[in-house]
Amino acid sequence: MSEAILYAMDAPQVKDANAAADFVEKWQDSKDAPTARIATLFVRLLQIWPEDGSKGVVWHEDFQHNRPAGSMLEMTFELSEFDAERLQQLRAIAKHHGVHVFDPEGHVLYLADGSEAGVPAMAAPEPGAPIQCKSGVRFDGVYESKMEKGWSYLCFTADGKILWQSIGGRFPARAVMDTFIAGDAFVVKGKYKPGANAFSARLKAAFGAFKMDGTLKNDGLHVHSERTNGRYPYDAVYTFLPL
């Protein structure tokens, strides 16, 4: 996958990600003229990120065959260029025009008021629940790694979920776990497959899709991650931090 598809929606009645998904399914083939908000948003987007690439190759597909229609605009970004900073820029533009942005892959709705709605990334661990899977990774805490700037955290669940995020500072395991449970937009979410003292995973967030492999060694959890298009490879060693 080399693109990130998001939808701009002029739909004040839509309040959560499930409703946004239904809205997209219902209206994505609309041939109606765009609403005023969608039309002005579209003009502004092309001023900031022209289709000719003069300000960077932002669009994976241009709008020749995908014009804004009705209350919605489908936006297909080049995945390698769509990072957290660009997502925040898009959200600010949409907020200015009173428009929602929906990420169908991350199942997150960025509301026009600047807030967001989705589904929790995970449930809080229950007392007596399993604390380790056959690969050796543990569920009763988080894995941390010091980066050049900030800290990186991983979390695994018994039902096969993996969550990953970077934070500016170092925090206690409980505080990090709370951010995973809250499902912040910058938590990268996916599924992992356990192996013999190892795991492999695929993860997705609005700003990119990633693949990850990890191996448990005496000095910690050795992890290699990169974009699914092979860009931005990164190696780190994570230490377990119990709750």
Side-chain angles (χ1 to χ4, degrees):
M1 183 179 180
S2 58
E3 71 273 3
I5 300 175
L6 292 94
Y7 295 91
M9 301 164 49
D10 182 10
Q13 74 279 12
V14 173
K15 301 297 184 182
D16 59 47
N18 288 335
D22 291 341
F23 187 91
V24 169
E25 183 177 0
K26 182 177 181 180
W27 297 108
Q28 65 182 151
D29 294 324
S30 173
K31 303 299 182 183
D32 295 344
T35 66
R37 287 175 177 172
I38 292 294
T40 55
L41 171 74
F42 182 60
V43 170
R44 183 57 179 154
L45 288 176
L46 295 190
Q47 289 174 341
I48 297 173
W49 301 315
E51 293 177 275
D52 61 9
S54 58
K55 295 184 180 179
V57 183
V58 176
W59 303 112
H60 182 78
E61 294 181 5
D62 61 27
F63 295 94
Q64 182 178 357
H65 303 293
N66 185 31
R67 309 298 293 180
S71 298
M72 197 165 68
L73 168 65
E74 180 178 323
M75 302 169 289
T76 306
F77 290 91
E78 183 64 35
L79 182 58
S80 62
E81 299 298 323
F82 194 70
D83 54 14
E85 182 178 351
R86 188 149 282 151
L87 171 62
Q88 291 307 307
Q89 189 176 4
L90 175 63
R91 290 182 66 181
I93 298 167
K95 181 180 178 180
H96 178 76
H97 291 277
V99 171
H100 300 332
V101 173
F102 177 53
D103 168 23
E105 288 290 332
H107 202 61
V108 178
L109 177 66
Y110 302 104
L111 295 161
D113 63 6
S115 63
E116 60 191 65
V119 294
M122 60 179 286
E126 296 181 1
I131 64 169
Q132 195 170 18
C133 84
K134 64 181 182 180
S135 70
V137 299
R138 294 175 59 175
F139 312 136
D140 57 336
V142 298
Y143 289 83
E144 66 172 7
S145 179
K146 182 72 171 69
M147 304 170 64
E148 183 177 347
K149 295 182 179 179
W151 291 76
S152 177
Y153 290 93
L154 281 170
C155 176
F156 299 85
T157 69
D159 61 352
K161 294 186 180 70
I162 178 173
L163 302 107
W164 180 33
Q165 66 175 325
S166 298
I167 304 177
R170 190 183 188 191
F171 291 88
R174 173 53 63 186
V176 177
M177 184 70 80
D178 287 343
T179 67
F180 281 130
I181 292 170
D184 183 271
F186 294 103
V187 173
V188 188
K189 310 167 192 176
K191 289 279 190 177
Y192 72 92
K193 294 181 179 179
N197 295 316
F199 75 91
S200 61
R202 295 293 183 271
L203 305 97
K204 178 73 172 64
F207 52 86
F210 302 85
K211 54 186 177 181
M212 181 182 287
D213 295 282
T215 304
L216 277 166
K217 298 184 180 181
N218 291 333
D219 60 340
L221 181 62
H222 290 242
V223 174
H224 174 79
S225 61
E226 60 186 54
R227 286 279 181 92
T228 52
N229 59 9
R231 297 187 65 181
Y232 307 112
Y234 184 73
D235 293 286
V237 179
Y238 288 78
T239 302
F240 183 69
L241 189 63
L243 292 173

